[in-house]
Amino acid sequence: MSGGSDLLRGADLPHDGLRRAGRSDLSASAVAVAPRLLGGELRTFVTTAGPVPVEVRLRITEVEAYHGQGTGEIPDPGSHARMGRTARNSTMWGEPGHLYVYLSHGIHSCVNVVCGPEGQGDGVLLRAGEIVSGTEEAALRRGVDLPLRRTTLRDLARGPGRLGQAVGLRHPLHDGIDAITGEERHGARAELWLGPQRDDVVSGPRVGVAGVAGTAAFPWRFWIDADPTVSPFRWGRGAAEAADLAPGPSGSTTPAPVLN
C-alpha cells in the first residue's frame, strides 16, 4: 500500500519534517491558519474491532476557512457560526485545536480545526487529503475493496465526507476532540502535525457553498497546487448566479473562479 501512496505524494513532498501543532499555531483567524495546515497531517488513533487503536495518518491537501460571527469586516454567510453559538456549533467557540465534527446532510461526519481566540467561532474544514499510513483501515471504513487501484487510493479522502469516514471520527461521539493534547474521547485520539510553510498554495471560492458565500467574494478555499487528491470545484446552489454580482474584498466585482 505504501508504494501507491508514494506514487501520489511524489519525491518532492517528503513525509518527514513535521512537528506537533500547538494552540499558538492556530490562534489567528481561519483565513490565516488554513493555508498553514496544508502539507501537515491529521493523525487519528481509533479503537474499532480490537483492543488496540488503529492509526490512520492523513496528509492535508485541501481546506476551507470559515469565519465566526462578526470576524473581520465582511460577515461570512457560509459559516455555521454566523448566527452565534448554538448546540450544534458550540465546539467552534472553544479554544483552538479542538476538532468540530458535524453531520452534513444527515450522513457525513466532517472534520474542522477550531482556530482563532476562544469565543471567536472560526474553523477550518478539512476538505481533502492523502492517506499516507493506515490505508487498509481507511479503505475498510470507506467500504472500498482491496487491493486499491490508483484512482481509488486517490479518492479515499477526496472530499470532506470521505475524509471524515477515512480517519474514523464520528459525530457526535468525537465532536470537540482535542488535537493538541491528544486526549482520548470515546475510544479515539487525534493529533495535528504541521510542516514548513509551502509556496505552492492556491486559493479560490469554496466548493458547493450556496449563494455569495460560494463565490470569489470569499476566496477562502486553499489547496496544494496540482495535487491529485484535491476535490474538483462545483458551484453551490445559487452561487453561479451570485458570482456575477458578488463584490470582492476590495468592493470590486470578482471574475468567475478558475476550476481545477
Side-chain angles (χ1 to χ4, degrees):
M1 292 302 168
S2 60
S5 185
D6 289 340
L7 286 173
L8 279 183
R9 189 163 60 253
D12 60 333
L13 293 174
H15 184 54
D16 55 4
L18 302 180
R19 62 173 178 82
R20 286 287 295 272
R23 301 214 192 276
S24 62
D25 293 308
L26 310 172
S27 62
S29 71
V31 170
V33 170
R36 288 287 292 112
L37 301 182
L38 295 172
E41 290 185 3
L42 176 66
R43 302 179 183 179
T44 59
F45 307 80
V46 181
T47 302
T48 51
V52 180
V54 179
E55 180 183 11
V56 170
R57 293 163 67 168
L58 171 96
R59 183 176 69 92
I60 303 166
T61 61
E62 181 187 10
V63 295
E64 288 178 345
Y66 289 88
H67 274 177
Q69 183 185 32
T71 305
E73 297 179 358
I74 304 175
D76 183 0
S79 174
H80 287 181
R82 66 188 180 276
M83 303 301 290
R85 187 191 298 265
T86 66
R88 180 195 192 196
N89 69 26
S90 60
T91 297
M92 293 183 73
W93 301 88
E95 63 182 350
H98 291 262
L99 302 183
Y100 168 46
V101 183
Y102 74 90
L103 203 61
S104 175
H105 302 293
I107 303 173
H108 307 294
S109 293
C110 300
V111 180
N112 301 255
V113 178
V114 176
C115 52
E118 189 169 353
Q120 182 163 291
D122 277 22
V124 177
L125 173 66
L126 304 185
R127 266 210 62 86
E130 176 198 4
I131 304 298
V132 295
S133 180
T135 306
E136 292 189 9
E137 178 66 19
L140 180 65
R141 293 170 182 167
R142 289 279 335 281
V144 176
D145 293 332
L146 299 173
L148 296 178
R149 298 179 179 179
R150 184 181 180 90
T151 55
T152 311
L153 179 65
R154 178 200 68 187
D155 292 345
L156 271 183
R158 195 184 192 204
R162 294 174 178 177
L163 186 153
Q165 193 173 21
V167 301
L169 298 181
R170 297 289 179 268
H171 171 85
L173 283 178
H174 304 129
D175 181 30
I177 195 169
D178 193 342
I180 303 301
T181 65
E183 184 178 355
E184 182 179 352
R185 180 183 289 255
H186 296 290
R189 294 193 301 108
E191 298 175 357
L192 184 63
W193 292 68
L194 299 179
Q197 190 165 350
R198 305 182 65 96
D199 59 5
D200 57 351
V201 174
V202 185
S203 65
R206 296 175 295 197
V207 177
V209 178
V212 68
T215 71
F218 295 88
W220 293 348
R221 173 190 177 216
F222 302 88
W223 65 94
I224 297 175
D225 191 24
D227 192 288
T229 64
V230 172
S231 55
F233 179 83
R234 61 177 175 82
W235 292 108
R237 176 173 44 83
E241 296 78 3
D244 293 333
L245 304 174
S250 63
S252 60
T253 301
T254 56
V258 176
L259 307 188
N260 65 305

